[in-house]
Every structure is written in C-alpha cells, then in structure tokens.
Amino acid sequence: MPIDWNKKFKPEYEAARAVIAQNGNFAPDWRPLVKELELLMSPAGFDAAKENALGKLRVKVTAGTGTTKVTEDRGILQGAGAWVEGAAGTLTAEAKKRAACLKLLRHVYLQNKAGNRKVWVVSLPTAITDWPSLHIAASGGTVGAVKTILASDNEIFSEEQKRHLGTSVQQALAWCQKAGIVLAQAASKSKDKATTDARAVVSRWFAETGLADATLSTYITDLGAGFKKIIAMLNKGNLVLTDWVPFRGTTDADEAEFLAAEAFTFASNGEGMDVVYIESQFFTWAPGDVLTGQANWTRIVVHELSHLVCGTADVNKGAPRYASYGIGPHAGYPGSDCIRNADNWAFFAADCGGALTAAERNTALTIK
C-alpha cells in the first residue's frame, strides 16, 4: 500500500493556523489566549517571542474556574466552546477542529533556546495515531470518543528524551560550525601545515586515494556552502522535531520500515518547513552502531539536516553506506559517492567537532 506522503506536519500546522485565526469562535474567556496562540503560529513556523502562550495553554486546559480544576478533555472542549456533559451525541466538525488545534498546541514545546537557535518538539500522546485534526475527525464519532482522545496525555517523548533532542540540535550546530572552520582553512590558498591538515580531514571522509587535488577543492567548496546553509537554517529558529504520527501502530510493511528508522526528513526542504521526524530507533542502540548515546543522537541530527538542507542521499553502493557498514572512500566507493552521502557528512562534522575517538573513526572508515 503506497504511503500517503501528503500527511506531513506542515498541513496539520497550516490547518491549525486557519482554525486559530478564527479566535471569535472560541469561548469568550479563552479568546485573549487564542489570540496569543495565533501570533505564535507565524507563516514561517512557531515564533519563539510568543512561546509563553504554550505555557499558558498547558495551565488553562485544567484550570477550570475559581479553585476547581477540570480534566484536560473538559478544559479543551470548554475552550473550543463545545463542552457538553456525558458521552452521547456528536460534536460539529468545526468544534472538533478547534479542539484538535488546542490539543496539538498543548503538546508543543520550545525545547532549546539560545541566541537565534530554537528547537521545537511536538510530543503528541501515544494514543493519538494520526495528526489531531485527522484523528478526531475519523475517530471522534461521539462526544465520549472525542473526550477520550483529548484526555490522553502519555506523550511519545519523555521529558528526558525531549532534553536530549534539544541538546542534539545544540551539538549539531557546534559540530557544523567547526566543520565550517575546517573547510574554510582547507580552502585557503596557503600551503602551510594548518591548510594541509584541514585538507587531510576532508580527504579522510571524501577522497579516495589518487583523487585529483582540483576535484578535492570542488568538494571543499560544495561542503563549505552546504554547512553554511545548515548553520543558517538552525539559526532561523524554526526547526521542528516530531514523529510521523500517522505511522503509529501501522500494520503496513512500508510504513513499518519508516517507523523502525532512526529518523527521516524530506530532502532539499521538500516539505516547505524545517521538520525532522524522530522515529523508534533514534534512542535505541543497534548492533553495528559506531557511536552511542548523545554523540549518536547528534550524528543522526546532522545526517538528517544534510538531507533536509543540502539534498544529500543515503547512497547505496554495494550496500547502504552507513557507518555501520563502512563509509571510508576507496575505488569501490569513490569521493563522488561520499560527497552525496549523508553519513559521510555527519561523521565528517563529528570528526571536526572532536567527537570521535580514534577507534570510532577507524570503525566508521573500515568497510565491513
């Protein structure tokens, strides 16, 4: 069964923007907050200057009135102007959309913020198996069913995992900045040792024995431009990390393959929004993985950002060229392949960032 790649995060974001813009349809006491949420959702992505609205939302969904707390489903439906007692009956399609919008935003977090770098994590509850607007439309046939969906709170990412995701992007930026420094030195016209050493680091990951020096120079130029683009994208502050919610609980083999991946994204900004999808193997060490823990999580992020921003591929040359197989350039896997391969970019950045031990470097370069 073909995967429905139209179910990206961006359409859900745009659907929520359209709903939140109609703030007059929400309950009167919610409208000031809904207006803040509208300002949060800019055309370019979440606006960190309005991030406080998310914290206010998480308080308000259970605040109730006076000193009486309410359940989250009640709070959201009250905000949507759609609360009714009991489980029977149905809600209008428009009421469902308002509830879905609030449910989505209630699980959005500004996880990492420093300077222009901001990382947004969307951590929807595991019971939700499609984007909220679609899940509630399809499975919220009764008031009771909608309440059950809105009450779910077991988020896909734990608090610790959200922190690790934020740190991964922070470290990814540091690695890419250091890669940019190495590449600038490698492009220098100087013949000094610093330039020779920098070109040697590039060659380690992208140049087979005998590659012409002029060709290596073109690789250095391309890499330098690519890492500048990654750094610029991260500094825009709109990067979203989420899982591909429609894959949850799938029985389709093709979808299950992506669900079991570390992460994926759409190459060359193919979504029109900076989104990386974090999947089940991201936090799981697999036999053959060269790196572990935070270093590996950061490596995955750089790998995906090279896809997202620079259009790199997962090159299959005899085998998929991940470091677990070996990504050292040689006659059977020349620099012309390495320069297109995301894991070469990621391990080069890790090397420049001083994140590899000699043993890890050698393992990644050695063909199994």
Side-chain angles (χ1 to χ4, degrees):
M1 179 180 180
I3 297 173
D4 185 355
W5 290 118
N6 292 316
K7 287 189 171 185
K8 301 177 177 71
F9 175 74
K10 185 179 180 182
E12 181 72 3
Y13 180 85
E14 294 297 342
R17 280 191 72 228
V19 171
I20 210 76
Q22 303 299 317
N23 52 76
N25 294 329
F26 290 81
D29 65 310
W30 274 71
R31 289 172 193 168
L33 174 56
V34 171
K35 184 62 178 178
E36 291 185 48
L37 294 170
E38 180 186 0
L39 296 174
L40 167 79
M41 302 186 78
S42 81
F46 297 113
D47 182 351
K50 305 300 180 182
E51 180 266 341
N52 285 345
L54 293 173
K56 293 178 183 179
L57 173 61
R58 281 188 274 277
V59 171
K60 194 165 181 61
V61 293
T62 59
T65 58
T67 59
T68 304
K69 295 283 187 179
V70 298
T71 57
E72 191 162 313
D73 57 314
R74 180 170 186 146
I76 290 175
L77 286 174
Q78 285 177 337
W83 171 256
V84 293
E85 297 290 346
T90 61
L91 298 177
T92 67
E94 294 305 312
K96 290 179 183 178
K97 289 178 183 178
R98 292 194 295 274
C101 174
L102 294 177
K103 184 61 174 173
L104 172 69
L105 293 175
R106 180 258 177 273
H107 297 284
V108 174
Y109 302 87
L110 179 56
Q111 191 58 43
N112 191 293
K113 179 179 178 180
N116 290 328
R117 187 191 68 255
K118 287 106 183 156
V119 182
W120 302 90
V121 176
V122 179
S123 184
L124 287 164
T126 57
I128 295 178
T129 55
D130 208 336
W131 299 114
S133 67
L134 301 175
H135 187 76
I136 291 176
S139 301
T142 66
V143 170
V146 173
K147 289 180 177 180
T148 298
I149 295 167
L150 297 177
S152 59
D153 62 359
N154 182 26
E155 293 185 338
I156 190 73
F157 302 122
S158 68
E159 291 300 317
E160 182 179 19
Q161 287 173 334
K162 284 185 283 190
R163 288 194 297 272
H164 288 320
L165 289 171
T167 300
S168 295
V169 178
Q170 179 181 359
Q171 289 188 346
L173 178 59
W175 289 7
C176 290
Q177 288 171 330
K178 290 178 180 177
I181 293 170
V182 171
L183 290 163
Q185 184 64 59
S188 170
K189 300 299 184 183
S190 171
K191 301 295 184 181
D192 62 11
K193 184 177 184 301
T195 300
T196 301
D197 289 347
R199 292 178 77 87
V201 177
V202 181
S203 296
R204 180 183 296 152
W205 299 101
F206 298 102
E208 73 277 18
T209 300
L211 183 76
D213 196 57
T215 303
L216 177 61
S217 293
T218 65
Y219 291 171
I220 291 168
T221 298
D222 291 345
L223 288 162
F227 278 104
K228 284 180 182 178
K229 288 180 181 179
I230 294 173
I231 293 166
M233 185 278 289
L234 290 175
N235 281 329
K236 283 195 308 183
N238 298 125
L239 179 65
V240 173
L241 305 180
T242 180
D243 67 314
W244 185 280
V245 179
F247 284 162
R248 296 179 180 182
T250 184
T251 57
D252 180 82
D254 290 335
E255 291 184 345
E257 183 176 347
F258 280 91
L259 181 65
E262 293 174 330
F264 67 91
T265 190
F266 291 88
S268 302
N269 302 103
E271 183 164 350
M273 193 172 185
D274 297 327
V275 184
V276 174
Y277 297 95
I278 306 298
E279 298 304 335
S280 62
Q281 289 301 305
F282 186 93
F283 290 109
T284 303
W285 185 85
D289 281 352
V290 176
L291 302 176
T292 60
Q294 188 64 62
N296 194 45
W297 305 329
T298 302
R299 186 273 307 171
I300 296 169
V301 170
V302 177
H303 177 120
E304 297 303 329
L305 294 179
S306 78
H307 286 323
L308 175 67
V309 179
C310 305
T312 62
D314 294 324
V315 173
N316 191 323
K317 193 68 178 284
R321 291 296 170 154
Y322 299 103
S324 55
Y325 179 81
I327 54 175
H330 63 288
Y333 177 55
S336 56
D337 289 322
C338 299
I339 197 67
R340 299 185 298 113
N341 190 53
D343 238 19
N344 283 77
W345 283 62
F347 272 85
F348 168 70
D351 201 3
C352 293
L356 301 180
T357 66
E360 289 167 342
R361 184 186 302 115
N362 291 336
T363 297
L365 292 169
T366 302
I367 308 301
K368 308 299 184 287

